[in-house]
Amino acid sequence: LYITGCILFLCVAAVAALLILYSDTHIAYAVELGDPVPSAQVFSISGNSSVEYLTDLSTIDVTKTGSNWIHISVDGNDRLVNLVVKDTVAPVAQPVELTISINDTITPDKLITGLADRDKVNIQWQREPEFGKAGDYSVVLTLRDMSGNTSTVTSTLHIRAVVDTLEFEAGGNPPTLEDFLVDKSLNATMLTDISSLPLAIPGQYDVSIEVNGVTYTSVLSVVDTTNPVITAKLVHIKPGAQAKPEDFIASAEDATTL
């Protein structure tokens, strides 16, 4: 019991001594990963003590998380303290909207941009889209850095066999099967007779295409963005007579009806 009491007394005395020695000193101070080494003054609890680094600051790597036991001078007294480098900031990124073929697969990093973090980041699907099946997928991605900080990004993935809409200029050469395919190598068959569609009349026309035994519908959007080509002519009329607008036109050409 005597020995136990002595040990207990010495422990209490040691703790008391430390409390006195470090009465105005933070034993540990945390900085964020990648931030510069702070002024030594941050180790002063009151801010009134004169604090300087004794340890060579070039030996402190703030690009890696962990503890750095260093020596500082507090009012001329050497103190051993811990400068802790921590990473508490979650990764950030912006979503990407992407269209791929039913033949394609992608990794989750293709659906984000502007990834920012001060450490390595692992990117994972919360639920992987059903590659090979056409559809629109709202994809949630988990971003996790090496310190366990996480965030999520929701992106949009369109998986297609054929384009949703194909714009076609009225009067042009009829579109081909390949024009409707997202991936030209797909095994596809045109089910709609393009020549039966009124390609000189602006409008929206459904086009059916079979890909790998599945029928898909694409919209052929016929537009007319080209101005008519008109040749004018001189018209002589008698006083008091009236001329129609078309009387002044020698010829007019356009892909659609004028």
Side-chain angles (χ1 to χ4, degrees), residues 12-220:
V12 172
V15 171
L18 284 174
L19 290 175
I20 293 173
L21 288 173
Y22 286 84
S23 60
D24 191 37
T25 305
H26 290 294
I27 296 178
Y29 186 85
V31 296
E32 190 65 30
L33 178 69
D35 283 353
V37 176
S39 165
Q41 202 63 37
V42 297
F43 285 95
S44 173
I45 295 174
S46 67
N48 296 325
S49 298
S50 176
V51 186
E52 296 178 352
Y53 285 111
L54 298 178
T55 297
D56 182 0
L57 296 184
S58 66
T59 64
I60 302 174
D61 188 357
V62 291
T63 65
K64 295 180 180 179
T65 58
S67 296
N68 299 274
W69 289 97
I70 58 175
H71 289 270
I72 61 174
S73 171
V74 181
D75 292 334
N77 299 305
D78 190 332
R79 298 287 183 264
L80 180 65
V81 294
N82 188 8
L83 182 63
V84 182
V85 180
K86 301 175 66 177
D87 180 11
T88 63
V89 180
V92 295
Q94 286 71 53
V96 167
E97 185 171 359
L98 185 65
T99 298
I100 65 171
S101 164
I102 57 172
N103 272 359
D104 295 334
T105 59
I106 60 170
T107 52
D109 59 288
K110 297 298 188 294
L111 287 173
I112 62 168
T113 186
L115 176 62
D117 194 76
R118 289 177 170 177
D119 209 342
K120 294 180 180 179
V121 178
N122 182 35
I123 307 167
Q124 293 182 321
W125 310 103
Q126 282 198 3
R127 182 178 181 182
E128 185 172 317
E130 193 171 347
F131 293 113
K133 182 177 181 181
D136 300 308
Y137 298 85
S138 181
V139 182
V140 180
L141 307 172
T142 298
L143 314 180
R144 185 187 305 274
D145 65 21
M146 301 304 290
S147 297
N149 302 305
T150 63
S151 62
T152 59
V153 175
T154 302
S155 298
T156 302
L157 178 64
H158 306 288
I159 299 179
R160 293 287 188 270
V162 299
V163 297
D164 292 334
T165 302
L166 178 66
E167 189 172 281
F168 171 75
E169 184 70 28
N173 293 325
T176 66
L177 171 61
E178 288 190 347
D179 293 329
F180 290 93
L181 300 179
V182 173
D183 182 348
K184 310 306 180 187
S185 67
L186 290 171
N187 180 23
T189 302
M190 181 77 78
L191 300 180
T192 298
D193 182 3
I194 295 295
S195 64
S196 68
L197 300 179
L199 301 182
I201 302 176
Q204 308 284 313
Y205 307 101
D206 287 344
V207 175
S208 296
I209 299 168
E210 184 180 285
V211 180
N212 297 334
V214 180
T215 300
Y216 299 94
T217 299
S218 184
V219 175
L220 180 62

